[in-house]
Amino acid sequence: MSEKIAPFHLAILIYMIQSGVTLTKLPRLLAVDFGTNGWIMVILVSFVACCNIFLIGLVNRIGGGKDLFDIMEALIPRGVMAPFYLLLAFIYSVLVILIGKDYVVITQVLSFQNTNAYYFIIIMLLLVIYLVSKDVYTITKVTAVFFVFTVWMTLLIFYHIPYMSFTRMTPFFLAEGENFLLGFINLFTAFLGFEIVVFLFPYIDRSKKNWFRSVYIGNMITTFIYLVISIVSYMFFSLEQLKLTSFPVLNLIAFIEIELIERIESFIFTLFLMKIVVSIVMYIWVAKLLFKRALPVVPDKWVTLILIFSGLAITFNANLEYEIGEWLNIFGLIGASIAIALPLIMLTVLGILKIRRRNRA
Amino acid sequence: MRKMSCVVTLAFILLTGCNDQKIIEQLGIVSLISYDDISESEEHKMKVTAVIPDYSIEATSEQEILEAEASLMKEAEEKLANQTRQKLVNGQIRSVIFGEDLASKGIKDIIQAMEREQEIGSRVKAMVAEGEAVAILKSTGVENIGDYMEKMIKKAAEEYLVPNSDIHIFYRDLLDDGIDPVTPLIGLTEGRANLKGTALFKDDRYVGSLNSELSRIFLTLYGKVNSSELTVKMPDGEHMRYINFNYNESDRDVKVKKKGKDITGIEIKIDLKGSVLEDTKEGVISSPEESKKIEKLTEDYITQNGEKVLSILKENRTDSLGLKQYVRNSLSFKEWKALDKDSILQTTPITLSVDVKVKDTGMMQ
């Protein structure tokens, strides 16, 4: 592990983990849960995510760059922590397997209806296994390439400008929303991914003092793209239509007309695979780290397989769109709680350690 | 081992594409579909007709027209498929025609089903036919009616003869509480398919229409027009004067006038800028006085016909211009919810103010 992650790559990595399959549904979630002008909530929730990142930044500053394991085990013996590590590892693997399944379900709405869904899942996971067997530096480099392959899609919205209208947006502020709280949680889970940086501390190039800023920058890229897409959707669809459109972003892409090719969304949606793979790889990578810390005897190769297969086994019953949706709601909530809880717990431990050190002195 | 696993992965990725094949010679690619009402025999029954261009060598004609009776779009598809050796696919449906009777009963279900179907794009052009839609499909003189209709409607929308009628736009306006949808109206003239104007909808029901001349005026009231032309017919002194006004910049603005909380009126402001390319008046027409006069005549022409359009809309109690969107945006959410949306446009006076500017008179003075 000689080479370290540059801040620039870190920003891209954070963005790529954050944005994934939720993006395709995001405008509908906003419309259903918040109603008119729900895009405003993206700014608000992004701010909440920033606060969360700030907490992680505090951990980094106070802990002096020590990662989760070093901080926790300075207070609590590893044997006691091991079950928690394992639990966290399995939660993360289940979460990303669900995200992968969700992606496959949407793919099959568009095409390949007659193919067994597990075919796609296996192919996707093969890519994941290959990538996760590399070190994190290589993963971030691959992520940067994937970023270039996918980020241009945002520019497609220029095509929609003639079909957008401010009048359709209405001046009403969050009227007709169904469930503000659920919407808030759903939207927050769309921002998840930044919490992984807690595990990345030792792998980051710390020669630049302000490197932690790239986590904020990554979050800003996500916010910007979410915001643009939702504002465009609010001006392109009427509110009731947006509430009924399952994947507004796919409809936006499908609206683009090119001679000869109809329905380019089925082509472009395959590019989303890269985003999904990055999310899955990074979470599995963290899960692997956790697992190995708890059970160091298990060989490297087997850890990935154990994690993936247990994830598949646990989610074996979640295959339909609504089943996966329900599972994702639960695991999204768990993921969100972990993202908030991790830095808080670590800060508490750091505080206790400090007091103890002072008392000893 | 490494090489082997690479090969296996590649095989996995590439060979997946061989699953779910669709071979083009075996496909019946539907290009146009029409719906007619035959609910006298049974409730919800429709006559569904599909046009399938036939490119295979053994085909005797360039297209095949299939008919079926059904209550659901998908049910009709099944019945249509029974009549052909090909596998029917919807991916290339480019336009859909509704018969007058069916349209006046409401077409929300069909539009929604088309939006739901992943194979059908949201750019499919919707239109209403005078009388039976199937008559258009069977009209003579055109070899490939599916392609013909799509190109005709697309061209007409680009030239602002009829409104743009992608099903996305229809559905968007249908679900918006501040506007009612519109589509082009087509019909037969001497056996040939022909544009007839604009079909007006009240919610999802076809309620009335505007002829071609009023359609052009309607579109200037409807929104921004990038380029179109008007044939102005106005009395000038003793004679009728005909002017061709070719405009390339037109903008619409809607203002809701309020007194306290009450809406006292709606003003539609239209700005047009263009050139005069033909005029029945003899002599020089580019002088400032003459230009002013042409501007005045054109303004009067648009105002007169615009008022005709407004009265037709009012008669049918429809808000095709989307004026209610502007009413909505001038109110608070509570006021808007409490508003009697059906009668607001019936009771509020709507005024037109037209501003025409003659940019030039072409290559002649």
Side-chain angles (χ1 to χ4, degrees), chain A residues 182-221:
Chain A
L182 185 71
F184 198 94
I185 295 169
N186 276 337
L187 187 50
F188 186 71
T189 54
F191 279 95
L192 284 187
F194 55 79
E195 76 275 19
I196 278 187
V197 80
V198 174
F199 298 92
L200 286 174
F201 287 160
Y203 304 93
I204 291 163
D205 177 11
R206 307 180 72 88
S207 60
K208 288 207 183 63
K209 249 189 162 179
N210 289 327
W211 68 268
F212 195 77
R213 209 180 277 166
S214 16
V215 183
Y216 288 106
I217 295 174
N219 191 46
M220 283 301 130
I221 303 175

Side-chain angles (χ1 to χ4, degrees), chain A residues 40-324:
Chain A
I40 294 169
M41 290 303 292
V42 174
I43 302 174
L44 201 77
V45 173
S46 165
F47 178 72
V48 175
C50 276
C51 296
N52 202 340
I53 294 173
F54 176 73
L55 288 179
I56 297 173
L58 275 184
V59 172
N60 172 51
R61 206 178 308 156
I62 299 172
K66 274 189 266 176
D67 68 352
L68 177 108
F69 303 115
D70 289 340
I71 292 172
M72 296 308 287
E73 286 162 18
L75 183 69
I76 306 161
R78 186 181 293 188
V80 181
M81 285 308 293
F84 292 103
Y85 291 161
L86 281 180
L87 182 69
L88 200 55
F90 284 119
I91 288 174
Y92 278 158
S93 61
V94 169
L95 181 66
V96 287
I97 295 285
L98 283 171
I99 291 171
K101 280 189 166 185
D102 199 22
Y103 174 76
V104 170
V105 164
I106 300 174
T107 309
Q108 291 204 304
V109 170
L110 293 175
S111 45
F112 293 114
Q113 286 89 351
N114 301 332
T115 310
N116 190 330
Y118 275 95
Y119 246 61
F120 292 105
I121 295 172
I122 289 169
I123 292 167
M124 191 162 63
L125 292 178
L126 263 178
L127 290 175
V128 170
I129 291 170
Y130 268 116
L131 198 51
V132 96
S133 67
K134 301 284 171 207
D135 59 276
V136 71
Y137 177 72
T138 316
I139 296 175
T140 46
K141 280 200 134 178
V142 171
T143 307
V145 176
F146 283 179
F147 174 76
V148 175
F149 280 153
T150 52
V151 76
W152 60 271
M153 280 188 252
T154 323
L155 299 177
L156 289 177
I157 53 122
F158 280 106
Y159 183 90
H160 300 96
I161 290 174
Y163 302 95
M164 298 187 328
S165 136
F166 279 108
T167 334
R168 221 166 281 129
M169 255 175 154
T170 75
F172 310 137
F173 180 68
L174 305 186
E176 291 187 62
E178 265 171 30
N179 194 335
F180 188 85
L181 189 68
L182 185 71
F184 198 94
I185 295 169
N186 276 337
L187 187 50
F188 186 71
T189 54
F191 279 95
L192 284 187
F194 55 79
E195 76 275 19
I196 278 187
V197 80
V198 174
F199 298 92
L200 286 174
F201 287 160
Y203 304 93
I204 291 163
D205 177 11
R206 307 180 72 88
S207 60
K208 288 207 183 63
K209 249 189 162 179
N210 289 327
W211 68 268
F212 195 77
R213 209 180 277 166
S214 16
V215 183
Y216 288 106
I217 295 174
N219 191 46
M220 283 301 130
I221 303 175
T222 312
T223 311
F224 176 73
I225 289 178
Y226 281 2
L227 201 59
V228 167
I229 297 291
S230 18
I231 291 176
V232 168
S233 300
Y234 267 91
M235 288 162 78
F236 183 79
F237 298 97
S238 57
L239 183 65
E240 292 304 314
Q241 187 189 19
L242 195 52
K243 284 183 187 174
L244 292 175
T245 307
S246 301
F247 313 107
V249 171
L250 296 185
N251 280 46
L252 279 176
I253 300 170
F255 195 74
I256 297 169
E257 215 173 31
I258 304 173
E259 288 297 320
L260 288 174
I261 308 176
E262 187 89 322
R263 299 177 55 221
I264 55 166
E265 80 276 19
S266 47
F267 162 67
I268 286 186
F269 189 61
T270 37
L271 296 178
F272 268 75
L273 175 66
M274 297 188 201
K275 288 175 183 244
I276 312 296
V277 165
V278 171
S279 308
I280 299 181
V281 163
M282 277 319 286
Y283 273 102
I284 293 284
W285 180 82
V286 168
K288 213 171 118 183
L289 222 56
L290 286 160
F291 193 96
K292 269 165 49 187
R293 193 76 169 194
L295 299 168
V297 281
V298 185
D300 216 65
K301 255 186 206 164
W302 290 104
V303 177
T304 318
L305 290 178
I306 290 171
L307 286 167
I308 285 178
F309 279 110
S310 51
L312 282 172
I314 294 169
T315 61
F316 185 71
N317 276 329
N319 291 309
L320 312 175
E321 196 185 331
Y322 68 89
E323 287 172 347
I324 293 173

Side-chain angles (χ1 to χ4, degrees), chain B residues 181-246:
Chain B
V182 286
T183 69
L185 181 70
I186 52 172
L188 289 174
T189 313
E190 289 164 12
R192 221 185 141 94
N194 210 312
L195 283 172
K196 295 280 179 170
T198 303
L200 305 172
F201 282 75
K202 162 90 182 157
D203 297 329
D204 69 329
R205 282 171 294 109
Y206 166 61
V207 287
S209 66
L210 299 171
N211 63 26
S212 302
E213 195 187 349
L214 290 182
S215 282
R216 280 181 187 269
I217 304 286
F218 170 78
L219 287 171
T220 58
L221 303 179
Y222 187 64
K224 201 177 167 70
V225 176
N226 287 332
S227 106
S228 188
E229 47 190 88
L230 284 175
T231 305
V232 179
K233 252 183 290 180
M234 287 299 276
D236 182 19
E238 289 163 23
H239 301 286
M240 271 308 257
R241 185 167 171 185
Y242 290 80
I243 302 166
N244 173 286
F245 182 67
N246 200 316

Side-chain angles (χ1 to χ4, degrees), chain A residues 119 123, chain B residues 4-18:
Chain A
Y119 246 61
I123 292 167
Chain B
M4 193 58 203
S5 57
C6 268
V7 170
V8 170
T9 315
L10 263 180
F12 254 117
I13 292 171
L14 296 176
L15 291 178
T16 319
C18 301

